[in-house]
Amino acid sequence: MRKAIIAGNWKMNKTPDEARALVEELIPLVADAECEVVVCPPFVDLCPVSKAIKGTNIHLGAQNIHWAKSGAFTGEISADMLKKFGVEYAIVGHSERRRYFGETDATVNMRAKAALENGITPIICVGESLEQRERGETDEFVASQVRGALEGISADDARRVVIAYEPIWAIGTGRTATAEMAEETITVIRKTLRSIFGNDAAETVRIQYGGSMNPQNAASLMAMENIDGGLIGGASLKAEDFSKVVKYR
Ligand code: 13P
């Protein structure tokens, strides 16, 4: 059985004080959650958030991770730095990183490997554009992103990975993929995993849906056999909304 994982991607929102306030409001609301709860604040918020969530059931994630241990990589952050704050997850290859900051399958792959080598679980994001969906290229494209991100990773390591399927056209648009549509593409992702790593690993990997997921649509998405969680943007910035997604049942 795969344990459901609901993660909030705060993106570039919340100052350290605002971040602490948000997570303090969230703690009692999700204390009895059945799923794994993760928040991914901006880097400067990791310190106050990590202090606030100590001893709670909320886990900490970062929004990126660099592949090098240290060095001349202006604007980047290393696994060692993240681990100091108790970071257990790192989002890699978000479509906003791919689109605005030149992230490629190759750099996503290096970041994912660095995370795994350091005991951090990468949340690897994949997803097609509207044009690709309309041209009927979704399956092929998403499968190629999965293969690229996991190139050279062993089946044992692959089991620990989380994949987030986020169709670009559903991010921040209020336009959610229907549960059936999301399930269809996520099934393609699981098939791709099966072809690379075999059945066991493929059945272990948790695959999230992301893209305008909210308290209203969470239950129907989570009811799908292959959807094991959500990566939540906008709705994770309000404690009450996020807690309703976490408690989707
Ligand atoms: P929204 O939930 O705001 O659509 O964002 C989804 C997302 O990009 C999470 O990583």
Side-chain angles (χ1 to χ4, degrees):
M1 271 308 281
R2 300 182 291 265
K3 185 169 186 185
I5 173 168
I6 305 281
N9 175 9
W10 295 3
K11 307 194 180 182
M12 195 174 73
N13 294 289
K14 305 291 175 188
T15 63
D17 285 346
E18 292 167 348
R20 189 186 311 108
L22 172 57
V23 83
E24 278 171 357
E25 196 184 339
L26 185 64
I27 290 167
L29 298 178
V30 300
D32 58 347
E34 286 171 27
C35 67
E36 207 166 326
V37 185
V38 183
V39 292
C40 305
F43 298 143
V44 293
D45 300 340
L46 290 171
C47 181
V49 171
S50 94
K51 283 183 188 154
I53 61 177
K54 229 182 204 118
T56 74
N57 62 331
I58 300 179
H59 299 263
L60 191 58
Q63 294 177 21
N64 205 355
I65 182 171
H66 196 262
W67 51 86
K69 224 179 142 41
S70 63
F73 299 103
T74 303
E76 291 284 334
I77 197 156
S78 74
D80 282 347
M81 295 169 186
L82 297 175
K83 283 195 290 188
K84 289 281 177 230
F85 293 113
V87 166
E88 296 173 81
Y89 294 89
I91 298 172
V92 297
H94 192 281
S95 62
E96 288 148 16
R97 299 288 322 164
R98 294 178 191 257
R99 185 165 166 200
Y100 304 125
F101 302 100
E103 204 77 66
T104 63
D105 285 342
T107 57
V108 171
N109 178 240
M110 291 195 279
R111 293 183 197 278
K113 281 179 177 159
L116 289 164
E117 279 161 17
N118 284 281
I120 291 173
T121 298
I123 300 179
I124 298 170
C125 303
V126 299
E128 80 290 358
S129 66
L130 186 59
E131 297 72 38
Q132 287 170 315
R133 177 157 284 269
E134 282 169 350
R135 287 199 299 262
E137 296 168 2
T138 299
D139 293 3
E140 195 188 321
F141 179 70
V142 170
S144 80
Q145 283 185 314
V146 170
R147 281 193 295 268
L150 297 174
E151 173 95 47
I153 290 174
S154 70
D156 268 355
D157 279 345
R159 287 167 178 269
R160 293 158 44 207
V161 160
V162 173
I163 294 180
Y165 168 57
E166 301 203 304
I168 295 170
W169 48 269
I171 296 176
T173 57
R175 202 174 146 184
T176 328
T178 63
E180 289 72 23
M181 260 163 107
E183 170 73 4
E184 199 182 314
T185 307
I186 285 177
T187 304
V188 170
I189 293 173
R190 209 174 292 289
K191 263 192 211 145
T192 307
L193 292 172
R194 194 169 296 129
S195 72
I196 314 171
F197 300 111
N199 198 49
D200 249 34
E203 287 301 320
T204 308
V205 172
R206 292 180 294 175
I207 308 179
Q208 299 173 312
Y209 168 78
S212 299
M213 193 161 162
N214 58 41
Q216 286 73 46
N217 57 31
S220 66
L221 286 158
M222 291 301 293
M224 294 290 135
E225 191 182 329
N226 284 288
I227 301 183
D228 308 313
L231 187 55
I232 322 299
S236 72
L237 297 174
K238 291 201 180 110
E240 199 181 328
D241 285 353
F242 187 60
S243 73
K244 283 184 184 156
V245 177
V246 163
K247 299 201 252 179
Y248 55 87
R249 275 186 217 282

